[in-house]
Amino acid sequence: MQECRNAGDDTGQVIRAALPDDISVIRDIEAAAGELFREIGMNAIADDPPPAEGDLAPYLGGGRAWVATDAADNPIAYVLVDVIDDWAHIEQVTVHPLHSRKGHGSSLIDHAERWAAAHNLDGMTLTTFQDVPWNAPYYERLGFVHVPEQAWSDGLRQIVRQENHHGLNAWPRVVMKRKIDHQNP
Ligand SMILES: CC(C)(COP(=O)(O)OP(=O)(O)OC[C@H]1O[C@@H](n2cnc3c(N)ncnc32)[C@H](O)[C@@H]1OP(=O)(O)O)[C@@H](O)C(=O)NCCC(=O)NCCS
């Protein structure tokens, strides 16, 4: 997908495909954003190391990683997407706290949705913390809805199992989705 400048944004922010040179900055963004969780007592999340280069590489190689950049082309936020059972699954979306609450998160999610629509996927899914203000309540504001357990696809079930194994279910977790209306894109 082409580089895309956000409408109405005078900060020079651009969303573009993530490049190998961005990997260390992506890891820095993740570590910085993790500190938000320490402020609400979720130290284990803050202490979780950012994704390793080897974990990020398949997203870059597969064209499923994008960064939002500042005017100097430095990444300030990123999103990673998997394809799970015909849905684009947001594996991670993170904005550096110095640049939060300026629409970068929602712009990246919208960008991923355009990619999903172009690939004829049904919509977007994600898993997140139910009670963290910038997690499930944020996604609800963006039009995501909760997916009850009986409606989880096999792929989503496997993701939840892996996350539970990793200890994320120490706090309530939810699965959410936002369907794409292919008739009215
Ligand atoms: C979730 C995240 C990507 C949102 O990105 P963002 O660019 O700050 O969000 P947007 O500008 O699109 O939307 C702003 C809204 O996000 C929510 N939000 C963002 N940061 C918040 C915070 N620290 N506390 C409470 N709500 C917050 C609010 O709903 C906010 O709206 P408001 O400013 O009118 O109150 C970002 O907060 C982040 O990187 N968090 C840490 C990593 C994370 O939890 N990622 C999601 C994993 S599922």
Side-chain angles (χ1 to χ4, degrees), residues 33 36-37 92-95 99-106 127-128 133-135 138-139 141:
L36 293 170
F37 289 89
Q92 190 65 42
V93 56
T94 303
V95 176
H99 300 278
S100 70
R101 301 179 111 152
K102 293 178 183 160
H104 297 305
S106 63
T127 59
T128 196
W134 55 89
N135 283 182
Y138 169 62
Y139 294 116
R141 285 181 64 180

Side-chain angles (χ1 to χ4, degrees), residues 44-170:
I45 303 301
D47 291 338
D48 205 23
E53 182 171 347
D55 294 330
L56 292 168
Y59 292 95
L60 274 65
R64 294 177 284 108
W66 297 272
V67 290
T69 61
D70 64 12
D73 197 39
N74 300 309
I76 55 176
Y78 74 96
V79 63
L80 308 177
V81 171
D82 284 311
V83 176
I84 304 290
D85 301 322
D86 292 327
W87 289 70
H89 183 77
I90 298 178
E91 158 57 26
Q92 190 65 42
V93 56
T94 303
V95 176
H96 193 291
L98 291 175
H99 300 278
S100 70
R101 301 179 111 152
K102 293 178 183 160
H104 297 305
S106 63
S107 294
L108 282 167
I109 291 167
D110 289 345
H111 191 82
E113 184 173 68
R114 284 191 291 277
W115 177 86
H119 288 77
N120 210 26
L121 299 174
D122 292 340
M124 290 183 295
T125 55
L126 56 84
T127 59
T128 196
F129 291 111
Q130 176 185 287
D131 300 323
V132 172
W134 55 89
N135 283 182
Y138 169 62
Y139 294 116
E140 279 170 20
R141 285 181 64 180
L142 297 185
F144 284 77
V145 297
H146 292 246
V147 183
E149 186 170 348
Q150 61 271 23
W152 296 352
S153 68
D154 289 346
L156 287 173
R157 264 174 221 286
Q158 196 178 336
I159 288 171
V160 171
R161 254 197 313 274
Q162 285 165 352
E163 291 179 345
N164 291 352
H165 183 70
H166 199 66
L168 296 188
N169 59 342

